[in-house]
Each structure stands twice: as structure tokens, then as C-alpha cells.
Amino acid sequence: MSSTDPGAPKGMDDLRAGRDSCVLLVGHGSHLSPDSARPVHGLARRLHDAGAFREVRVAFWKEEPALHHAFHLVESSRVHVVPVFTSTGYFTERVVPRELGLDRTLVDRPGLRVHRCAALGTHPRMAEVVLERALEATPLSPEPLSEATLVVAGHGTRRHPDSGRTTERIANELSGQGRFRRVVPAFLDQDPRLTEVLEEEDAVDVVVVPFFIAEGWHAGTTIPDDLALRGGRSVRNGTSIWYAKPVGTHSAMVDVILDLVTGWETGEEAPFASTEPPPPAVAREAFLDWIGKGGSRGRRFLETWIHGAGEGRFEVRHHLDRSADPAGLRELETFWEGLEIAATTAQGKHRPLRTAPGLRRGWCFSGRSGREVWELFAHLYPPAPVHWHLERGGRLRPRTFRQVALRQSGIYAGLEETSDPNLIELAGVRCGPEGCLRHPTWAPASTDPGIGRSHGVPCPEPCSLFITGVRKQG
Ligand code: SF4
């Protein structure tokens, strides 16, 4: 596909031609629902299919792969970090830079140049996307629409002064276009509150566009519940409320991401050359070599079983399906299906911890190249194979609980005060064989020995689920 193709995303040719680039989409994620991460994964797949980047990776604050380990998945020498958030705020300005070690827009790390883009929702095209979402939500013709009110509903937060600004700017811009009688911003967590704005509204028609990335907790539950909405149109006190889809699932998002990246890729930049092979590439070679040496008996890695099928091809299954008749197993079409297998149970429930026991059975991935198998593992267990390889070479650098706790902020601040016996007790439950198949190589504090088993696949630092567990323990 080239940019002369009608379906080619804008700016794609600028990005190609020997560019050794990765786009890393970073999102919030959730321990409770797959809906938060789903649009980020969907965008990743669409960007991958567009072929504009050598690699497309994702990382999350509350799911795997964790933000702090995101670069363990990147083999390219340049990475563009795109915060998949609707506004600049607490996560884009504090959490993402801190977890990725990015104190500037452009950071050179060993073997890697990292470019931090603006948050997706701040792109100038987002006003157009809000308008398109509003127009899709209602069959009203321009005349009644000109008497309607458009509410741009953002999250906002009192924790960061910039959080509501993008929503306000977009409402202001659309207000100037005069297509609606009025356009107003409203928020869940700052003034003016969405419920109050709707209470005071006297228009016959009100269109509410959730300025959110996902059809997740807020756009899918909080807003409909707060406003007592039932489907796309609800009537309240004689007012029709038309509820639109969130902006982040709009098809224009791929173009917006390409636009965020293109300015830097095609502009003047200081020379940068990588001299070292990236650790994930070295880990990939070592992992495939280890599998190859397992011969026809194959190798077990966490709950999978992998064996060489000859001529550089491999097969992966659940280890309990090792002897199953292949005719009874579902053949995965692409490595992307590894995400569904690892992130949901057979009953469709969310699995925020990929290394929790209970990986789904009944599938196989056969006759695949080493690269495809590696990509499958990037979806099943990201980035456990890299940590496995680093530990084998004595190069895994675990961080203590207290180091990780000191990186926390907001409602998670202060956890470094948790006592060692409490941490060890919690790790015994959460990180034991019933809770997680990795073994912690981290310790409560720098002087303590590791608290985990000494074999298998290592965990170099407490994960977000463990941190949440500590907070709940109180
Ligand atoms: S902190 Fe514990 S539960 Fe979390 S990934 Fe590590 S070993 Fe598993």
C-alpha cells in the first residue's frame, strides 16, 4: 500500500523507506475490565496492518505489558511513544514520563531514540472527530440541529490543571462553527459537572459526545448511569438526549497517530545510530535457540508448550494439550489472537495478569516462523521471555518493592511504609503458584533477599496488581 492508494493513511510514505521505527501506544488499562485497553489494542492492530512502522507495541499503567517494561518489547532503534489519552494531564505528564524514563520530548537511551508525542486527543483534528460523532448519533437534519445543544463530555480532574483544557478548547472551537445552538464542555471529575449541565439544559435536543478513548467504564457505564440513558436516545423531561460513541474508537485515529509521528520523522534531527543489538532481539534469538534445542520433546514455557516442527517452523499449544489431536484444536490465524487467549478466560472474563494460572486451552499455532512465535509470546506473556533471558545471563535488574512504591503517586502514594512481614505475606498469596506463575526476584527493600522461588520465569518488580493489593490491605 502506498499513499497513492485510496485507503492508505496520510503520511505513510514519509514514515517508510528504511525507517527503523516502532510506535508504542500507551494507555491506562484496567484490572477490572478489558474495555479500557481494547481500543488501544485495536489501534495497534490497525497501525500494524497499515504497515507504516516496523513494530507496533502497546503498554499500560494497569495491565500488561507494564509501562515500566515497555522498551523490553522494542527491537527498533527509534520509538514514538503515543499516549492514547484524550487530554494532557496527570497520566501523560506524570505517570507516563516517570514510568518510561522520559523527562524530555526526545530522549536517547542506549541503542534507542525515544520520541514522546502529544496525547492523541490534543491533535487539532479531534474537534472534527467530535463533530462527526455528534452527527452520527442523531438523525436530526441541520435545522433542528441548529437548535440543539452539543455537550462535549470529558473526564477532567482536579489533580491536573490541564486535564479539562482540551475538552474546553474543542467545545469552544465547535461553538464558533455555529452548527449547534450552543456547545458546552462538561466533566465527570471537575466543574462544570455533566449531571448539572444536563439538569440545567432547556434545549429540546441535546447531543452528548463522550470525549473518551474507550467504550469502557466511564463512556459505557458511568455516564449512561449518571444520566439515566437507555441506548442512543433517551427522553428526559421532554428533552431528547442523543448519546454518541466515544471519540477514541473513531476510524480517524490511525491518521491522527501518523500525523503525530510524521512531523518528527520527516523533520531535521540530530544524527542517531544504534551500535548495540537491542536486548529483545538478543532474547528472541536465545529463546528460539532454546526451543530448537528442545527437539521433538519441545519446551514448556509457563503454560505453553512449544516444539520445533522442522525447516525453521514451530508449533505452540497449551502444555496440557500437548497430546491432543490437532483436529480438535482451534488453529490461530495470526499471533494477534494470542491477546484474546491470554487476556480473557474461556468464559470471557478479564485476565489482567497474563501469568496468572489458567491460560485458555484448545488452540494451537502451528507451522509458524520464529518471528511469528515471538510475536505470539509478545501477546501471551509480554515481556516474560525477555526477563527469562536476562535472568539466565545474570543481567536482570530487579527493583525492590520500596523503589517501585516510591514511583507511585496519587492514591497510591505512601505505600513504601508497608512493613516487610505484610509484603511477604501478600507475596506468598499473590505471587505463589496459585496466584502467578512468575517468581519474584524483587525484595521488600534493598538489603533484603529475594522473596520468591529460584527457578522458572522471573518477575523483576512488583506488578500493578500487587501494588493495588498492598493498598487494599491497608
Ligand atoms: S508481582 Fe507477583 S503477581 Fe505480580 S507479576 Fe510479579 S510474581 Fe506475579
Side-chain angles (χ1 to χ4, degrees), residues 353 430-431 436 438 440 442 459 461-463 466:
L353 183 64
R430 298 238 171 197
C431 311
C436 183
R438 284 195 187 217
W442 52 268
C459 160
E461 66 175 51
C463 65
F466 187 86

Side-chain angles (χ1 to χ4, degrees), residues 359-396:
L359 182 71
R360 271 200 223 184
R361 295 178 58 183
W363 54 272
C364 66
F365 192 60
S366 45
R368 307 306 170 125
S369 66
R371 176 70 74 170
E372 287 175 294
V373 167
W374 183 252
E375 288 299 325
L376 179 73
F377 277 89
H379 290 83
L380 290 176
Y381 293 129
V386 177
H387 293 161
W388 166 87
H389 175 252
L390 290 171
E391 189 186 49
R392 282 162 66 103
R395 283 172 291 111
L396 188 70

Side-chain angles (χ1 to χ4, degrees), residues 86-119:
T86 48
S87 66
T88 299
Y90 175 68
F91 284 103
T92 62
E93 300 310 297
R94 288 188 63 181
V95 176
V96 171
R98 183 187 68 212
E99 293 298 301
L100 295 179
L102 304 177
D103 54 359
R104 298 180 305 283
T105 305
L106 195 62
V107 172
D108 287 344
R109 299 162 58 107
L112 189 66
R113 170 162 284 184
V114 187
H115 166 226
R116 178 158 64 100
C117 301

